[in-house]
Amino acid sequence: MSELIRLEDLVKIYNTGSLRVLGLNKINLSINKGEFVSIMGHSGSGKSTLMNILGCLDTPTLGRYYLDGTDVAGMSPDELSRIRNKKIGFVFQSFNLISRMTILKNVEVPLTYARVRPSERRRRALELLELVGLSSRIDHQPNELSGGQRQRVAIARALANDPPLILADEPTGNLDSQTSIEIMELFARLHQNGATVVVVTHEENIAAYTDRIITFNDGRLISDRINIAPTALSDTAGALGGRMS
Ligand SMILES: Nc1ncnc2c1ncn2[C@@H]1O[C@H](COP(=O)(O)OP(=O)(O)O)[C@@H](O)[C@H]1O
Ligand SMILES: [Mg+2]
């Protein structure tokens, strides 16, 4: 198994006025390609801080972050945004779709940044919306869809440039429990097809889908365990991700 993420003595300190907050306290962590990992912990334990650094949206104060073999800890914002577009698909709790755009155009956004030509962009976005079961809604705007459907659009967008790493920070935080299960089953399908997926949650039944559960408390990594019996996928989940090749 080859390593996709390696953190060495990673520290994040937030300076707000005279106050210094230790967001992450000497984190050492390695995640291999193809793993399906959940990050748990109470509110304020450092989960989002970790995800923002893993996703190259923020940089550590101290320590090293190797992403796919490259040390990204000291990179400039420009370099980070290039890495982000190529290597990372991010899914947020609040979906973060562009409201006045069709969902097809939303999924095309990262492809535009990657300078993919229009016909190819459209072909790829259609394929991804089919993968997440939304082919019949391509001309809808986000506000015409349910929360679960919006999150599936966000997942399709995250997959657009076929990034090696999918990060999701509380992707089911705004969804009811049945819809949350559907979203986790979609991530599980992506994982079955070879994707590396890291999901933040504070719900046990969501983390139960993943193969490895890492827990944070007060900015420290306090537990890292294998989930020997991940939740099995339901038969209906096959319709969502089964066509991904
Ligand atoms: N931008 C910021 N500025 C100052 N402090 C922050 C900032 N973001 C997070 N923190 C602090 O860092 C700690 C970890 O926060 P966070 O990573 O958001 O936790 P979680 O996602 O687990 O709820 C908390 O004490 C929080 O208040
Ligand atoms: Mg958070």
Side-chain angles (χ1 to χ4, degrees), residues 185-242:
E185 296 207 331
L186 178 51
F187 282 122
R189 290 280 163 197
L190 297 174
H191 161 62
Q192 279 186 342
N193 284 298
T196 310
V197 184
V198 180
V199 179
V200 169
T201 181
H202 46 247
E203 290 170 86
E204 289 285 352
N205 70 319
I206 295 297
Y209 279 90
T210 68
D211 299 327
R212 177 179 173 191
I213 303 175
I214 297 172
T215 308
F216 281 78
N217 189 34
D218 268 346
R220 286 177 193 276
L221 194 163
I222 58 164
S223 145
D224 185 350
R225 64 197 161 91
I226 302 298
N227 179 18
I228 53 167
T231 306
L233 298 184
S234 66
D235 293 341
T236 52
L240 280 179

Side-chain angles (χ1 to χ4, degrees), residues 140-153:
H140 286 63
Q141 293 191 353
N143 65 359
E144 298 169 321
L145 301 180
S146 70
Q149 289 171 328
R150 288 182 209 186
Q151 198 58 299
R152 283 193 270 149
V153 175

Side-chain angles (χ1 to χ4, degrees), residues 44 46-49 93 169-170 200:
K47 306 182 297 297
S48 293
T49 301
Q93 178 173 357
D169 192 350
E170 304 208 34
V200 169

Side-chain angles (χ1 to χ4, degrees), residues 98-110:
I98 300 169
S99 55
R100 294 190 179 281
M101 257 186 201
T102 65
I103 66 170
L104 184 69
K105 290 292 176 196
N106 265 279
V107 176
E108 285 189 25
V109 166

Side-chain angles (χ1 to χ4, degrees), residues 35-240:
E35 280 200 80
F36 188 18
V37 180
S38 52
I39 308 287
M40 299 197 74
H42 297 299
S43 180
S45 59
K47 306 182 297 297
S48 293
T49 301
L50 176 79
M51 294 297 270
N52 292 341
I53 291 173
L54 292 182
C56 299
L57 294 165
D58 200 358
T59 50
T61 309
L62 293 167
R64 303 260 70 90
Y65 171 21
Y66 298 94
L67 173 61
D68 218 357
T70 306
D71 184 0
V72 297
M75 281 189 175
S76 70
D78 275 1
E79 289 173 308
L80 284 176
S81 73
R82 249 196 317 279
I83 296 260
R84 201 159 58 228
N85 199 45
K86 236 181 19 201
K87 305 244 180 207
I88 291 155
F90 220 115
V91 178
F92 301 90
Q93 178 173 357
S94 50
F95 322 129
N96 292 17
L97 300 174
I98 300 169
S99 55
R100 294 190 179 281
M101 257 186 201
T102 65
I103 66 170
L104 184 69
K105 290 292 176 196
N106 265 279
V107 176
E108 285 189 25
V109 166
L111 297 162
T112 307
Y113 285 125
R115 298 167 194 267
V116 175
R117 66 173 197 279
S119 60
E120 174 61 14
R121 273 193 328 243
R122 185 180 163 86
R123 190 196 64 74
R124 177 83 181 132
L126 287 170
E127 180 182 275
L128 288 162
L129 285 168
E130 183 179 354
L131 172 75
V132 301
L134 288 173
S135 293
S136 63
R137 304 298 170 97
I138 59 168
D139 291 324
H140 286 63
Q141 293 191 353
N143 65 359
E144 298 169 321
L145 301 180
S146 70
Q149 289 171 328
R150 288 182 209 186
Q151 198 58 299
R152 283 193 270 149
V153 175
I155 292 169
R157 179 184 58 184
L159 295 169
N161 286 321
D162 200 16
L165 178 59
I166 307 292
L167 299 173
D169 192 350
E170 304 208 34
T172 65
N174 283 342
L175 304 175
D176 63 62
S177 56
Q178 180 51 39
T179 309
S180 297
I181 286 169
E182 287 167 21
I183 292 297
M184 281 313 287
E185 296 207 331
L186 178 51
F187 282 122
R189 290 280 163 197
L190 297 174
H191 161 62
Q192 279 186 342
N193 284 298
T196 310
V197 184
V198 180
V199 179
V200 169
T201 181
H202 46 247
E203 290 170 86
E204 289 285 352
N205 70 319
I206 295 297
Y209 279 90
T210 68
D211 299 327
R212 177 179 173 191
I213 303 175
I214 297 172
T215 308
F216 281 78
N217 189 34
D218 268 346
R220 286 177 193 276
L221 194 163
I222 58 164
S223 145
D224 185 350
R225 64 197 161 91
I226 302 298
N227 179 18
I228 53 167
T231 306
L233 298 184
S234 66
D235 293 341
T236 52
L240 280 179

